Amino acid sequence: MDDQALRVFSTEPTPVSLAELKEALTRAGYPISIGIGIAGDATDDELLSKEWDAAFVRWHVPELHDVWLIERQTPGIEEEADAAIAECIERARRLSDSAGRLIVTDHLKKSRNVFVINILPVLITDDDHPAWPALDVALRCLAESTDGLIYAYNEGFYDADGEMLLDEAED
């Protein structure tokens, strides 16, 4: 599992459309577009489809550049999704908060989609990039729309409102 990636483990079988994600980010005032290829914006049909595998979120200021790659993985079909679920269940089981551990492991076992947000190099090298706070909007949109649980490596597990459910840092 990539330590730089953030994950949303969704119990809903139908993923959020890219249009919903784009709307949440632009409504919050972020200058973004979404593309499903190396270059160019996604078409309206591509944005409205709930059948997508990967999408780039592109930042427009001061110039156009990719900030995240979002991938959708399906447990039972893609090994990466199964491995991420198994690893997070194991991580949760090692933590001392029994109530949080029960909530998180139960949710992970029911996951039907795993959304992986890969942080691209432009953000990793710029702690002040304005796309960092937009990431919170994207994670919450994915989680709220799909009954998702957010996981941040070495931080812990959060609900769709951003409230900590199980804190890795405390252990």
Side-chain angles (χ1 to χ4, degrees):
M1 196 162 70
D2 179 10
D3 298 347
Q4 295 293 336
L6 297 156
R7 286 175 174 68
V8 175
F9 294 92
S10 164
T11 61
E12 290 294 319
T14 305
V16 63
S17 74
L18 295 172
E20 292 173 75
L21 181 61
K22 181 180 179 184
E23 171 64 22
L25 289 163
T26 55
R27 187 177 49 243
Y30 297 113
I32 63 100
S33 62
I34 296 179
I36 60 168
I38 298 296
D41 291 347
T43 66
D44 288 342
D45 287 343
E46 291 168 334
L47 287 171
L48 292 172
S49 174
K50 293 194 176 196
E51 295 300 318
W52 56 274
D53 295 320
F56 288 95
V57 174
R58 298 189 167 111
W59 202 261
H60 288 253
V61 177
E63 59 195 26
L64 186 66
H65 56 285
D66 294 342
V67 289
W68 318 312
L69 170 62
I70 304 174
E71 298 174 282
R72 181 176 67 92
Q73 302 169 343
T74 307
I77 295 173
E78 294 166 271
E79 289 180 23
E80 297 90 351
D82 295 332
I85 291 169
E87 182 177 330
C88 282
I89 288 172
E90 183 56 34
R91 292 179 80 82
R93 285 185 175 153
R94 291 190 296 241
L95 301 175
S96 61
D97 177 358
S98 59
R101 192 173 58 236
L102 180 65
I103 292 166
V104 168
T105 57
D106 183 59
H107 185 98
L108 290 168
K109 290 175 185 176
K110 295 176 183 176
S111 293
R112 306 282 300 274
N113 284 288
V114 178
F115 299 98
V116 181
I117 299 183
N118 298 286
I119 309 299
L120 297 179
V122 69
L123 283 185
I124 293 170
T125 60
D126 184 358
D127 292 339
D128 295 325
H129 194 290
W132 281 113
L135 191 55
D136 187 54
V137 173
L139 288 165
R140 287 184 185 195
C141 175
L142 290 169
E144 288 171 359
S145 299
T146 64
D147 188 28
L149 179 77
I150 301 164
Y151 175 69
Y153 184 78
N154 278 342
E155 287 183 34
F157 299 87
Y158 299 86
D159 69 12
D161 294 325
E163 296 295 320
M164 179 67 73
L165 293 173
L166 192 56
D167 190 345
E168 284 186 305
E170 283 189 6
D171 283 28

